[in-house]
Amino acid sequence: MNHVVLIGRLTKDPELRYIPESQNAVATFTVAVDRPFSKDKQADFIRVTVFGKPAENCERFLAKGKLVGVQGRIQTGSYKNKDGATVYTTDVIAERVEFLEWGEKGSGGSGSGFDREDPKGSLGIPEGFQALEDDDDIPF
């Protein structure tokens, strides 16, 4: 089983690019996750990669300092740098990203308002599911 759940704050704005062959969107960003019980207020800085429409939404709505929840899997890799040395990488490939603080980029606030186009904040809901209006919609 390879499953990761993180909550933290972005260290800078997400970077969005498109894969040339397929034109699929790819966003990358780093999340600072506080270490529990750390006397020195330490954090881990974890690189996250998101694909497709969620990647475009991350680039649109997330900004440095915003609180985000990420659910996904760990992926390791390596590459040769310009000096020929092998560099090892560890990334979280996000399957779901929850915007825990909302607002347009540059709107100034990190409040919990909702996007006009997505008033229920359902951008993080997987395909085939729908948001519940309230607890009365739960069938049990």
Side-chain angles (χ1 to χ4, degrees):
M1 183 182 319
N2 183 353
H3 189 75
V4 176
V5 178
L6 305 169
I7 294 178
R9 294 193 179 275
L10 271 70
T11 61
K12 64 180 185 175
D13 291 354
E15 296 177 11
L16 183 69
R17 61 184 175 83
Y18 290 89
I19 299 171
E21 302 84 38
S22 62
Q23 289 302 307
N24 283 336
V26 180
T28 55
F29 53 90
T30 300
V31 176
V33 179
D34 292 334
R35 289 185 181 173
F37 312 113
S38 172
K39 293 179 183 178
D40 300 332
K41 295 274 188 177
Q42 295 177 339
D44 292 301
F45 298 90
I46 301 166
R47 185 177 152 103
V48 177
T49 303
V50 187
F51 293 93
K53 184 67 173 171
E56 293 173 339
N57 289 332
C58 286
E59 193 276 332
R60 180 175 175 193
F61 294 107
L62 293 178
K64 178 180 178 178
K66 296 275 187 172
L67 188 65
V68 65
V70 175
Q71 183 178 21
R73 62 183 170 81
I74 291 179
Q75 180 173 295
T76 60
S78 64
Y79 64 91
K80 299 274 187 191
N81 67 11
K82 62 183 176 185
D83 299 327
T86 302
V87 177
Y88 296 95
T89 62
T90 302
D91 298 297
V92 170
I93 306 302
E95 296 164 2
R96 182 174 179 170
V97 177
E98 289 286 332
F99 305 155
L100 302 178
E101 289 181 338
W102 277 85
E104 289 280 346
K105 272 186 166 178
S107 65
S110 62
S112 59
F114 293 106
D115 176 41
R116 290 179 301 280
E117 296 175 24
D118 190 25
K120 294 184 180 53
S122 60
L123 293 171
I125 295 176
E127 187 173 322
F129 291 83
Q130 66 184 43
L132 296 175
E133 297 294 325
D134 56 40
D135 288 344
D136 294 334
D137 291 341
I138 299 174
F140 49 88

